[in-house]
Amino acid sequence: MQKIAVIGAGQMGTGIAQTVAAHGMRVMLSDVDLATAEAGKGKIDKAVSKLVGRGKIDVGAAEALLDRITPIGDYSPMEEADLIIEAATEREEIKNAIFEAAGKVLADDAIFASNTSSIPITRMANHSPDPARFIGLHFFNPVPVMGLIEVIPGLATAKSTTDSVTEFAKGLGKEVVLSQDEPGFVVNRILLPMINEAVFVLGQSTAGIEDIDKGCRLGLNHPMGPLQLADFVGLDTCLDIINVLYRTTRDSKYRPAPLLVKYVEAGWLGRKTGRGFYDYTGEAPVPTR
Ligand code: CAA
């Protein structure tokens, strides 16, 4: 695969575009309009400049990487893409509308992948032009750093599609875990109940924010505690995923912690809004409770 298109220029989409371009492939980046896609490229520029500052890559390589990324304002140039990766908001109706609109320009031999973190692939595949060429390709944040991609074929996905995207994922220097199309796939099925439970622990005042995080950092050797990680992922995304697990399995063990719901209702969504379980507006994060 040489030409990739990424739909969604947020945290995940820009991370995917950066990683693809860092591995020598050309990538088109789109969002709701050209200005948003260009702003996404601006975020990548910032991240890459940091790497240059730290001596991780040289200026020439950084410029070449950025040259391979083209922000676009509509889907028509994607007719050239070998693979379109959807990385939009984790809402099924938004994703389905994208599969229908961008599906109109999908080349006859190209693949449509979704970076969904939990929505069933088999169901979304019906909104794409060809479910045999539709698959889940789940990246982890921060994409340039994390070593894993989950590959999730739906019921109708052709083996050739699974093989192609597995090869593509390995070409990005990532390890692949193949998951069946079950709610939350493998990693989020395990991660989200942990984050949700941490919010229950907080809500029941069993321990404070810093101690819950310290407990998991030092007691389990996790790089971030669960509340820090929830802020990093976005509390709205965490709630969306735990709700998918809850609604699709109807198993009460996945019921969202009331405090998580409250934080989302308050608009305290984590790092991206400057406040979640921690306040990020000062020099260092400060716990909010
Ligand atoms: N591009 C390239 N490299 C980058 C980068 C970027 N955008 N951002 C950071 N890096 C590199 C840095 O250069 C640095 O490299 P070295 O170690 O070689 O120096 C390394 O990544 C670590 O960066 P920092 O020193 O800035 O930060 P850190 O040491 O505090 O680590 C972290 C930050 C990697 C995020 C670490 O805290 C971590 O691994 N946290 C857990 C992340 C995690 O669990 N992610 C999964 C979330 S779940 C998910 O994504 C799935 C879902 O569907 C919700």
Side-chain angles (χ1 to χ4, degrees):
M1 289 184 187
Q2 275 314 306
K3 282 193 189 153
I4 311 299
V6 176
I7 300 177
Q11 212 169 25
M12 295 306 288
T14 56
I16 295 167
Q18 180 184 329
T19 306
V20 168
H23 286 79
M25 286 166 266
R26 301 203 65 84
V27 52
M28 299 171 237
L29 181 62
S30 86
D31 205 297
V32 286
D33 53 29
L34 183 59
T36 314
E38 280 169 345
K41 183 167 176 179
K43 282 187 250 166
I44 300 172
D45 194 340
K46 248 186 173 172
V48 172
S49 302
K50 254 193 201 165
L51 295 179
V52 172
R54 289 185 184 181
K56 295 283 169 69
I57 58 170
D58 62 46
V59 178
E63 278 171 5
L65 185 161
L66 289 167
D67 275 351
R68 285 193 284 273
I69 302 173
T70 310
I72 55 173
D74 64 81
Y75 297 138
S76 54
M78 293 188 189
E79 64 186 14
E80 306 256 310
D82 302 309
L83 170 67
I84 302 179
I85 304 171
E86 170 278 318
T89 309
E90 193 64 4
R91 289 286 153 79
E92 195 163 349
E93 64 279 13
I94 293 175
K95 289 182 186 288
N96 286 343
I98 288 172
F99 304 139
E100 282 161 19
K104 293 198 174 99
V105 302
L106 184 76
D108 286 345
D109 55 353
I111 292 173
F112 215 142
S114 174
N115 178 54
T116 179
S117 37
S118 60
I119 302 171
I121 302 301
T122 304
R123 200 161 72 202
M124 290 193 299
N126 284 325
H127 294 267
S128 77
D130 180 5
R133 289 182 285 127
F134 187 89
I135 194 159
L137 197 56
H138 183 213
F139 294 78
F140 292 80
N141 185 25
V143 180
V145 179
M146 303 299 282
L148 180 71
I149 297 178
E150 286 180 310
V151 170
I152 311 108
L155 208 56
T157 306
K159 184 172 180 305
S160 55
T161 301
T162 307
D163 291 346
S164 292
V165 301
T166 300
E167 198 185 318
F168 164 75
K170 289 182 179 168
L172 297 179
K174 310 289 188 194
E175 294 279 335
V176 168
V177 162
L178 184 69
S179 169
Q180 293 308 307
D181 184 22
E182 295 294 335
F185 316 134
V186 174
V187 177
N188 280 339
R189 161 98 176 266
I190 298 167
L191 172 65
L192 266 297
M194 183 189 75
I195 287 177
N196 197 43
E197 198 60 27
V199 185
F200 272 116
V201 170
L202 178 66
Q204 291 163 359
S205 304
T206 308
I209 291 173
E210 281 178 307
D211 278 350
I212 292 169
D213 279 341
K214 195 199 285 181
C216 291
R217 272 201 322 274
L218 303 182
L220 300 172
N221 242 358
H222 290 184
M224 286 176 164
L227 300 173
Q228 257 183 313
L229 185 54
D231 278 358
F232 184 64
V233 168
L235 302 192
D236 50 344
T237 303
C238 289
L239 182 59
D240 284 341
I241 300 172
I242 200 78
N243 266 330
V244 166
L245 286 167
Y246 184 42
R247 288 178 190 144
T248 51
T249 63
R250 299 179 191 194
D251 187 332
S252 65
K253 76 178 174 185
Y254 298 119
R255 73 209 181 286
L259 193 59
L260 179 61
V261 177
K262 256 193 195 158
Y263 268 59
V264 172
E265 284 172 351
W268 298 346
L269 306 182
R271 283 199 198 186
K272 61 185 167 189
T273 57
R275 183 184 175 127
F277 292 111
Y278 294 85
D279 186 319
Y280 297 91
T281 52
E283 285 267 295
V286 177
T288 54
R289 286 165 74 96

